[in-house]
Amino acid sequence: MMRTRPLKVALLGCGVVGSEVARIMTTHADDLTARIGAPVELAGVAVRRPSKVREGIDPALVTTDATALVKRGDIDVVVEVIGGIEPARTLITTAFEHGASVVSANKALIAQDGAALHATAVQHGRDLYYEAAVAGAIPLIRPLRESLAGDKVNRVLGIVNGTTNFILDKMDTTGAGYQEALDEATALGYAEADPTADVEGFDAAAKAAILAGIAFHTRVRLDDVYREGMTEVTASDFASAKRMGCTIKLLAICERAADGGSVTARVHPAMIPLSHPLASVREAYNAVFVEAEAAGQLMFYGPGAGGAPTASAVLGDLVAVCRNKLGESTGPGDSAYTQLPVSSMGEVVTRYHISLDVADKPGVLAQVATVFAEHGVSIDTVRQTVKDGEASLVVVTHRAPDAALSGTVEALRNLDTVRGVASIMRVEGE
């Protein structure tokens, strides 16, 4: 039986994503009513600049007092798309305390304080959903949290930032340098005026923390994620990658240790074989590769940002939360029963691609090989070139602990015959 009294929704933020949420709620009102079992009503919109014209939104709904809006008591669901830590954290907590469930797209907040927010939601019998916090429109959190709940996920490997993927794709396909590719991304609206959060890996690290926590049922905070940006990737790195049959992507990698006793989460640029599904992800698209014991290998692909795609994920959560509200129930919450420790980057086992500028004289290769051997790192391939009196060595290692590889690089820097380390990059996806 259809309920006639509407479920009331408060929208915090009405920028690119928030305006799309409001638009879809209006244009798809009949469909949403049919899917939920009750009408949904936009009851208020909290913004910073009330004078701005917002097409399709009744000005009477607009307020600058977000706190008063979430405290009203008649709000069923709060949709938070303002981002950042504060005031979002306080507003979400206040919403729970005053009877509302919450749908959020706030990756930074969930990565930093997700456990505390979930605890508050449980305390007050409310839902906290955040599909839109990771990979935009791509259904990813719900499959990990629900569809794979009976399986054991061992690895999540993905491209979760569209800006960096656009930049690296342009460098790969056109030969552009980093700055040139960044300028194009900015002109097209993919990169912010200050792209630091994207290109230095902060955005991807927050998403990695969320994915690792859900996939491995353990507490993974943003501070647990090793982070390395992609601003130092050069055209020569792509040339080396192509010689290996690889390309370069900024990857978020979440892994369960082989013995199952710990997990790791990291973000860094890496070479991946062209045969890997992630190598073909172009432009500003996102894709995440999940490896589970029973399900095997799964790949989730689609637009990872933008107003409409992100709003799609928000509305999906809104429907689920409203259905729970009508059924007087809550959906899956935080699951951290394993309480696995998060290992440091030094314990991660990886491969390396190392390019060295060396002296052009006999015995250099032997000296370099000795350093690798002394640190317990096995060499897979070596390529030596001499051009215009300048010599270089490119060494690709077998898998070894990252700490051993890092120690090797430091020792190489101290060799008289090594004039410089031109580039260092991990090799993944094999």
Side-chain angles (χ1 to χ4, degrees):
M1 180 176 178
M2 182 73 68
R3 188 178 104 163
T4 56
R5 184 174 68 81
L7 293 161
K8 294 189 176 183
V9 178
L11 179 61
L12 307 184
C14 197
V16 174
V17 176
S19 60
E20 279 296 310
V21 170
R23 183 189 67 78
I24 295 172
M25 285 184 63
T26 301
T27 58
H28 294 181
D30 291 342
D31 287 337
L32 290 172
T33 298
R35 293 167 190 170
I36 292 169
V40 287
E41 173 189 313
L42 187 59
V45 182
V47 300
R48 287 184 298 176
R49 296 185 295 276
S51 60
K52 181 180 177 180
V53 176
R54 293 171 173 84
E55 186 177 348
I57 297 177
D58 183 353
L61 297 178
V62 176
T63 178
T64 58
D65 194 342
T67 301
L69 179 60
V70 300
K71 281 184 173 181
R72 273 177 37 175
D74 65 335
I75 300 296
D76 295 290
V77 184
V78 169
V79 174
E80 183 271 309
V81 289
I82 56 178
I85 305 302
E86 288 292 357
R89 174 171 50 199
T90 299
L91 290 170
I92 289 173
T93 300
T94 303
F96 292 144
E97 293 169 348
H98 287 78
S101 290
V102 173
V103 173
S104 176
N106 195 330
K107 54 189 170 288
L109 179 59
I110 300 301
Q112 178 171 306
D113 290 317
L117 291 174
H118 271 294
T120 305
V122 170
Q123 178 187 348
H124 295 281
R126 306 302 168 197
D127 273 322
L128 174 61
Y129 277 46
Y130 42 88
E131 183 69 62
V134 179
I138 304 172
L140 183 57
I141 289 177
R142 194 167 296 146
L144 283 173
R145 191 161 62 177
E146 299 179 28
S147 303
L148 295 173
D151 207 339
K152 182 180 180 182
V153 176
N154 290 318
R155 195 172 195 233
V156 180
L157 173 76
I159 298 165
V160 295
N161 182 276
T163 300
T164 54
N165 198 58
F166 179 90
I167 293 170
L168 292 173
D169 182 46
K170 289 302 175 184
M171 292 177 71
D172 183 25
T173 57
T174 70
Y178 166 75
Q179 189 61 50
E180 182 183 353
L182 173 59
D183 290 344
E184 182 176 355
T186 304
L188 292 172
Y190 292 128
E192 301 286 346
D194 180 1
T196 302
D198 295 322
V199 300
E200 294 295 351
F202 291 101
D203 175 85
K207 296 170 182 176
I210 295 170
L211 291 175
I214 296 171
F216 307 135
H217 303 279
T218 199
R219 296 268 188 256
V220 180
R221 289 171 52 89
L222 181 57
D223 291 344
D224 296 322
V225 181
Y226 173 84
R227 178 194 54 79
E228 192 178 305
M230 43 75 71
T231 58
E232 301 300 319
V233 177
T234 65
S236 62
D237 291 326
F238 274 102
S240 294
K242 288 180 179 180
R243 283 191 288 267
M244 291 177 58
C246 294
T247 188
I248 299 171
K249 300 291 185 183
L250 184 75
L251 298 179
I253 305 168
C254 311
E255 293 178 306
R256 189 191 301 268
D259 62 4
S262 65
V263 299
T264 58
R266 50 197 165 102
V267 169
H268 54 73
M271 295 181 179
I272 59 171
L274 294 175
S275 58
H276 194 282
L278 292 178
S280 62
V281 178
R282 301 296 185 190
E283 299 283 333
Y285 277 77
N286 284 192
V288 178
F289 204 69
V290 177
E291 298 176 12
E293 285 195 356
Q297 297 179 330
L298 308 170
M299 183 167 165
F300 301 83
Y301 170 85
T310 305
S312 172
V314 170
L315 267 295
D317 279 351
L318 179 62
V319 169
V321 169
C322 286
R323 286 172 175 170
N324 293 343
K325 186 83 172 182
L326 290 179
E328 298 182 346
S329 65
T330 56
D334 192 26
S335 174
Y337 71 91
T338 61
Q339 298 182 353
L340 296 172
V342 182
S343 297
S344 68
M345 185 62 190
E347 299 174 72
V348 173
V349 177
T350 62
R351 297 179 67 201
Y352 261 84
H353 175 284
I354 304 170
S355 180
L356 305 171
D357 295 326
V358 298
D360 181 17
K361 63 182 185 180
V364 173
L365 179 56
Q367 284 186 330
V368 169
T370 298
V371 170
F372 277 90
E374 288 174 347
H375 287 79
V377 179
S378 176
I379 293 175
D380 182 13
T381 63
V382 178
R383 185 178 73 253
Q384 185 171 10
T385 60
V386 179
K387 184 178 180 181
D388 299 329
E390 299 293 329
S392 65
L393 284 176
V394 174
V395 179
V396 180
T397 72
H398 286 291
R399 290 169 62 83
D402 199 80
L405 289 162
S406 297
T408 302
V409 172
E410 289 306 309
L412 290 170
R413 295 183 194 274
N414 293 326
L415 287 179
D416 292 338
T417 52
V418 174
R419 293 173 174 167
V421 179
S423 68
I424 307 168
M425 192 164 296
R426 295 173 183 86
V427 181
E428 299 284 349
E430 296 180 310

